[in-house]
Amino acid sequence: MADIMIRKRKRMRDKDVKALAQQIEDAAGVPVFVPADGVDMAESADFDLIFVKGDILGLVKDGKPFLTVRGVLRYRPVKRYVTVDMGAVAFVTNGADVMGPGITEADPDIAEGDIVWIRDIKNGAPLAIGVAMRSGADLAAKQPGKAVKTIHYVGDRLWKTGE
């Protein structure tokens, strides 16, 4: 097990699970978990974690719920994506923020401050979860500078906790 600190894990009530699932469905564009899946909420150092059937499939950052990389792999969202070229993949999978010139495509509905998932252009594989620092149209315009602040990526402590 990795050294991520998880505190205060407790089972969520059905109505809270439904509300949380609806928020994530609105953001991701696909149905996610249901109360019968046994959903728990826990605290960690950087954000709250959502456990579904014992796996960490979601996170809540600044009151905004979204999927983890494992959650993206399981539920295959169709919204809030940012696609990067293959030259950026090595950097993103090491935790680097996404820079504007590396972006090839972005969901036009993204607003500044939204939590997004980052994928590669070749396979569409999820690489990381981050917070958009620009709108979707500005992300697709490839303007120089930091475009997405990475908060969770393949290979980090949260990812290794699920192994």
Side-chain angles (χ1 to χ4, degrees):
M1 272 272 188
D3 57 352
I4 189 167
M5 188 65 108
I6 298 170
R7 302 180 302 272
K8 298 182 181 178
R9 180 174 170 176
K10 66 178 189 168
R11 184 62 45 111
M12 294 179 67
R13 296 181 355 198
D14 285 359
K15 72 177 195 173
D16 296 333
V17 172
K18 287 177 185 174
L20 185 65
Q22 186 60 52
Q23 285 181 292
I24 294 175
E25 285 176 28
D26 292 343
V30 293
V32 290
F33 48 84
V34 294
D37 289 339
V39 181
D40 298 347
M41 181 73 78
E43 295 177 4
S44 76
D46 301 321
F47 31 73
D48 292 345
L49 303 173
I50 303 166
F51 288 79
V52 181
K53 296 181 183 175
D55 295 327
I56 304 172
L57 298 183
L59 55 85
V60 181
K61 174 89 171 155
D62 300 328
K64 297 176 184 176
F66 201 69
L67 301 169
T68 60
V69 174
R70 288 189 193 282
V72 170
L73 285 167
R74 175 154 316 158
Y75 298 117
R76 298 287 179 196
V78 295
K79 292 169 57 178
R80 290 221 187 140
Y81 58 86
V82 174
T83 308
V84 296
D85 60 30
M86 294 308 288
V89 170
F91 297 102
V92 173
T93 55
N94 281 322
D97 295 333
V98 177
M99 305 306 274
I103 296 172
T104 59
E105 181 185 10
D107 181 355
D109 296 332
I110 295 172
E112 185 176 336
D114 280 350
I115 298 177
V116 299
W117 66 285
I118 302 149
R119 64 184 183 183
D120 70 25
I121 190 169
K122 188 174 181 183
N123 306 309
L127 306 171
I129 306 298
V131 178
M133 302 181 82
R134 306 176 188 167
S135 69
D138 288 345
L139 290 171
K142 297 183 163 201
Q143 298 169 348
K146 193 182 297 186
V148 179
K149 171 91 174 103
T150 301
I151 58 173
H152 162 52
Y153 56 94
V154 172
D156 70 0
R157 293 181 310 159
L158 180 56
W159 173 265
K160 290 178 181 171
T161 300
E163 290 181 336

